[in-house]
Amino acid sequence: MKIVAATKILKANDQLAEENRARLNAAGVFAVNVVGSPGCGKTTLLEALFGHWRGRLRPAVIEGDIAGSVDAERIDALGVPVVQINTEGACHLDATMIAAAAESFDYAALDLLVIENVGNLVCPAGFDLGEHLRLVVLSVTEGDDKLIKYPAIFQRSHALVITKVDLLPHTNFKLDQAAAGMRRLAPEAAIFQVCALHGEGVAGLADWLVLQARAVPRSPSQSPRSQQS
Ligand code: MG
Ligand code: ZN
C-alpha cells in the first residue's frame, strides 16, 4: 500500500502552477482565478465584465464544473473563447487541469485568461493554478459570516467582489462587516460591490482588472526593454 501525503500533492501542484504562470508570463497573458460558492454569481459577473472589455482586452475563459457545460455555453454565446473542464466529482480545479485546458488556446491571441473555479469556498483556496490574481465572489444572500467561517479563501484572494447588492434590503447582510472582515484577513485586497445582473458597479471592477492585466510581468525574452542596447 502506498500513502501519498496531501502536502506532497500540494507541492507537485505548486510546481506545475509555476510552470503555468511562466507560460502565461512569456505570452503576456494575465490570469484571474475566480472563486466563490455555487450560485454566488461568478458566471453572471463574467458576462457583465465582457461587455466592458470589448475592444480593450482579448479574454478567454476556462470553466470548471463537476458536470455539464451550461456556464461554458453562456460564455460561448458572447463570442469569447472558452474551454469547459468537467472535474467529474473533484470539488476544485488544479494546475494539471489548467495546463491541459490551456492547450486549446493560442496565448498569442489573448491578453486575459479568466478561470472560473468550481463553486466551493474550501479547497480552491489551497490550489494555486498559476494565476496572477485571485478574485473571490461573495453574494449578499450567502451572509457576511462567510469570511469568519471560511477565512483561507478570503485571506488568499487579491480582491473581494460582493455581488447581488440590489438584494441587500431583503437580507441581513452587513456590508461594513464584510468589508471589515476582508480588511482583517487580506489588508491589501480591493473590495467591490456590484449587481452584475443589472450592471451597477461592474465598470469600476472591469477598469481595475484592465489595470491589473497591463501590469503582467513578461518574460525577459518578450520584453522590449530587455533588448540589448
Ligand atoms: Mg458559474
Ligand atoms: Zn476540492
Side-chain angles (χ1 to χ4, degrees):
M1 186 181 71
K2 195 179 175 202
I3 299 175
V4 180
T7 49
K8 263 196 178 162
I9 295 171
L10 282 176
K11 216 170 176 186
N13 182 78
D14 283 351
Q15 223 159 52
L16 202 60
E18 280 312 327
E19 288 170 27
N20 287 349
R21 194 151 26 235
R23 218 168 304 138
L24 289 158
N25 288 348
V29 178
F30 188 72
V32 181
N33 180 6
V34 180
V35 297
S37 300
C40 67
K42 297 183 291 299
T43 312
T44 302
L45 180 63
L46 296 188
E47 289 173 319
L49 285 168
F50 292 137
H52 291 279
W53 286 337
R54 201 152 290 137
R56 300 164 77 192
L57 273 182
R58 297 167 301 167
V61 176
I62 294 175
E63 279 291 341
D65 285 291
I66 289 176
S69 59
V70 282
D71 286 355
E73 285 161 30
R74 288 166 64 182
I75 303 299
D76 186 57
L78 298 173
V80 175
V82 58
V83 172
Q84 174 81 53
I85 297 174
N86 276 162
T87 61
E88 297 175 332
C91 42
H92 59 271
L93 295 176
D94 63 31
T96 317
M97 299 177 196
I98 299 308
E103 283 177 18
S104 310
F105 296 126
D106 172 15
Y107 274 3
L110 300 182
D111 305 304
L112 175 71
L113 177 64
V114 182
I115 303 162
E116 183 183 335
N117 218 311
V118 178
N120 181 351
L121 286 177
V122 188
C123 34
F127 286 81
D128 184 3
L129 304 179
E131 74 269 25
H132 300 97
L133 187 141
R134 193 177 286 177
L135 188 154
V136 61
V137 177
L138 175 68
S139 59
V140 301
T141 50
E142 292 168 74
D144 52 55
D145 57 352
K146 295 303 165 289
L147 292 108
I148 296 166
K149 293 183 175 180
Y150 305 93
I153 199 137
F154 294 96
Q155 217 157 25
R156 295 174 191 171
S157 290
H158 306 92
L160 166 65
V161 180
I162 302 172
T163 54
K164 310 189 191 182
V165 291
D166 55 322
L167 297 179
L168 271 171
H170 307 285
T171 73
N172 56 4
F173 190 97
K174 304 272 187 306
L175 278 174
D176 52 345
Q177 256 180 51
M182 192 60 182
R183 277 193 294 272
R184 212 166 32 240
L185 292 168
E188 308 283 305
I191 303 175
F192 298 89
Q193 299 170 22
V194 307
C195 166
L197 201 56
H198 304 113
E200 291 95 337
V202 179
L205 173 61
D207 291 348
W208 183 78
L209 284 167
V210 169
L211 286 178
Q212 304 301 311
R214 287 191 183 140
V216 64
R218 282 156 211 264
S219 285
S221 61
Q222 300 281 319
S223 164
R225 275 192 202 157
S226 71
Q227 282 167 5
Q228 286 166 344
S229 50

